Amino acid sequence: MTARHPLRLASDAGRSAPRAAQSASLQDSFGRRHNNLRISVTDRCNLRCTYCMPEEVVFRDRSELLSFEEIARFTEVAVRLGIDKVRLTGGEPLLRSELPKLVRLLAAIPGLRDIGLTTNGVLLAQHAGALFEAGLRRLNVSLDTLDPDRFRKLARRDGLDRVLAGLAAAKAVGFHPIKVNAIALRGVTEFDAVSLARYCRDNGFELRFIEFMPIGAETWNRSQVFLADELLELLGGEFGPLVPAADQDPRAPAADYDYADGGGRVGIIASVSRPFCASCNRLRITADGKLRNCLFALDEIDVKELLRAADRNADESIAEAIRRNVWNKWPGHEINSAAFVKPTRTMHAIGG
Ligand code: SAM
């Protein structure tokens, strides 16, 4: 990709990190340290959520995707530079066959302290046991509504019963914490937030809302976002006050709130109304091996080429690519500014 944002001069293809930054942990030119890597394992999905991807998609050929060995090798290099947390995503990661094998390879990397997975849950009931056995403990399951008709309308597929069965299976197997991710989208959230919150309180799941972002296939308008403040008012009106969590991680994208009655926790990822770019610690690798320093990045670095090169110093080239990608990260995504430029990839092809 070669597109350039008019106001964002930093380019992934740009300058190498200066020597001082090279010896330190993964740091960008604004002083943000990076320890968190999102790994997409496929661009395929068994749902077609309207806010995420188009109905008609040409998926990448299997040969274009990184193998598990390539993902593990890339992660090993990244961990040596300071990454200690990874999350597997997609597309729908459970469509990638033998995923527990990858979890096992990652779990064996010294220094990697946290492996998570984000899934739509449709195939979770059949895979929960093997994933847990492989070493996965942290699970986010996306679920926007408990209403079968609204589920079908949003996901353009059936599947609510299977997602609920997946969540029950994951809980029975021992996953903890289980977070339920719901889109914060006007026309949906005002009808579903309370029932989702009740379901999560009853089951010991942590509910997290993600404000609708301009990264799907359809047009985006700020007025379509169900904002964090509206959510707090809606849930507070039903369940009583929500208080900011005392153990809030300042680098986490979600602002966490606890129900004052002890009924659990709600997180809100307010990328639109309360952008958290200033504390961003994440980078991403797509299923086809492109390194992205922001969900909204317009430039990428191809690391698949480096992983497949017959070069004995390839690990050093990969490390240099990671450092350069991080160093050149821009200050923020500019969603709320007229200068915003939407990336050509939609969410399913990046990895949410
Ligand atoms: N298929 C998996 C799933 O559904 O969780 C993983 C990939 S999905 C892209 C990851 C998350 O991105 C989901 O929770 C989804 O709701 C969220 N997402 C997709 N498009 C979005 C958008 N335009 N704005 C906000 N969140 C979005």
Side-chain angles (χ1 to χ4, degrees), residues 13-318:
R15 294 162 300 131
S16 295
R19 198 171 288 276
Q22 289 189 14
S23 57
S25 54
L26 276 178
Q27 191 178 307
D28 69 17
S29 67
F30 298 94
R32 294 170 293 195
R33 286 175 188 270
H34 291 64
N35 69 323
N36 197 322
L37 172 67
R38 296 277 163 104
I39 301 171
S40 175
V41 296
T42 181
D43 58 341
R44 278 166 209 271
C45 196
N46 41 6
L47 301 180
R48 291 289 182 281
C49 299
T50 51
Y51 52 80
C52 179
M53 65 190 292
E55 168 70 79
E56 300 298 333
V57 205
V58 179
F59 293 117
R60 291 186 193 275
D61 188 78
R62 180 75 181 72
S63 63
E64 290 183 59
L65 306 188
L66 295 186
S67 68
F68 287 166
E69 290 69 26
E70 287 168 339
I71 292 173
R73 179 173 164 211
F74 172 82
T75 308
E76 259 182 77
V77 174
V79 167
R80 285 205 290 272
L81 297 177
I83 294 294
D84 61 6
K85 219 174 158 179
V86 299
R87 172 162 294 276
L88 303 176
T89 181
E92 171 46 40
L94 298 186
L95 286 176
R96 183 81 188 249
S97 62
E98 303 188 85
L99 194 66
K101 260 194 190 170
L102 176 61
V103 173
R104 246 185 223 102
L105 288 174
L106 296 177
I109 297 175
L112 186 57
R113 62 174 178 90
D114 192 323
I115 306 170
L117 171 80
T118 301
T119 170
N120 63 29
V122 172
L123 300 172
L124 187 56
Q126 67 205 72
H127 295 296
L131 287 164
F132 191 80
E133 219 171 274
L136 188 76
R137 293 292 178 272
R138 292 161 67 81
L139 198 56
N140 287 19
V141 180
S142 302
L143 175 63
D144 300 322
T145 175
L146 293 170
D147 178 278
D149 290 334
R150 244 188 327 272
F151 184 99
R152 194 175 308 114
K153 204 168 158 214
L154 268 179
R156 295 188 284 215
R157 299 287 185 277
D158 279 320
L160 175 60
D161 289 350
R162 298 177 75 188
V163 179
L164 295 178
L167 275 159
K171 185 179 171 182
V173 156
F175 278 104
H176 186 78
I178 295 176
K179 295 181 181 171
V180 170
N181 289 352
I183 190 86
L185 176 65
R186 202 169 299 286
V188 174
T189 308
E190 56 268 54
F191 305 111
D192 288 303
V194 168
S195 52
L196 277 172
R198 188 163 292 120
Y199 165 77
C200 288
R201 282 164 61 98
D202 289 349
N203 284 283
F205 302 147
E206 195 175 313
L207 179 58
R208 305 182 113 190
F209 290 95
I210 311 174
E211 286 182 346
F212 172 45
M213 297 179 284
I215 196 75
E218 296 184 341
T219 53
W220 178 90
N221 191 301
R222 203 174 189 275
S223 64
Q224 294 167 280
V225 184
F226 199 79
L227 303 171
D229 284 349
E230 298 177 277
L231 266 164
L232 289 172
E233 198 181 317
L234 178 63
L235 296 179
E238 186 68 25
F239 300 105
L242 281 154
V243 289
D247 58 349
Q248 170 74 51
D249 174 356
R251 300 179 77 194
D256 290 331
Y257 297 86
D258 291 328
Y259 293 106
D261 69 358
R265 179 166 285 192
V266 175
I268 305 181
I269 302 182
S271 322
V272 178
S273 68
R274 302 175 192 172
F276 40 84
C277 303
S279 60
C280 182
N281 61 356
R282 279 171 301 286
L283 64 153
R284 292 178 150 80
I285 183 152
T286 65
D288 58 326
K290 305 289 192 290
L291 196 53
R292 299 174 63 86
N293 56 20
C294 173
L295 184 57
F296 298 94
L298 300 174
D299 293 309
E300 304 175 331
I301 292 182
D302 185 2
V303 285
K304 181 171 66 182
E305 209 174 77
L306 300 174
L307 283 160
R308 295 187 180 173
D311 170 6
R312 283 196 299 128
N313 295 322
D315 279 7
E316 188 35 51
S317 309
I318 294 164

